[in-house]
Amino acid sequence: MPIRLLGDAVLRRRARDIVEQLGWASTYDAEYVALTQLQADALVTLDAKLARSVKGIVETASIDALL
């Protein structure tokens, strides 16, 4: 399985871009979204509000998708 290592600076920069794009006050959720985006993965969350807010930015999935 290929592994891609990301530097902290890349992740922080992408998280700041997401914060600006979505108008969020902090990078807390944006860091998860940025990591998901940079890894070309899907964000698995139980937070329906978060899933709605990142629609079109990253693919989202429910916890059931992991089972």
Side-chain angles (χ1 to χ4, degrees), residues 1-31:
M1 171 186 290
I3 296 174
R4 179 177 173 213
L5 299 176
L6 300 171
D8 288 343
V10 172
L11 181 61
R12 283 193 310 262
R13 183 174 34 243
R14 186 65 202 124
R16 283 192 308 267
D17 292 344
I18 291 167
V19 162
E20 289 177 11
Q21 180 180 355
L22 298 176
W24 289 348
S26 78
T27 61
Y28 183 82
D29 287 334
E31 290 184 36

Side-chain angles (χ1 to χ4, degrees), residues 2-67:
I3 296 174
R4 179 177 173 213
L5 299 176
L6 300 171
D8 288 343
V10 172
L11 181 61
R12 283 193 310 262
R13 183 174 34 243
R14 186 65 202 124
R16 283 192 308 267
D17 292 344
I18 291 167
V19 162
E20 289 177 11
Q21 180 180 355
L22 298 176
W24 289 348
S26 78
T27 61
Y28 183 82
D29 287 334
E31 290 184 36
Y32 290 103
V33 176
L35 183 59
T36 301
Q37 194 175 55
L38 291 168
Q39 293 291 348
D41 213 337
L43 179 68
V44 177
T45 181
L46 295 173
D47 186 337
K49 182 179 176 185
L50 175 60
R52 283 190 306 274
S53 65
V54 298
K55 187 175 181 178
I57 297 174
V58 293
E59 182 181 344
T60 60
S62 68
I63 195 78
D64 294 330
L66 297 177
L67 302 175

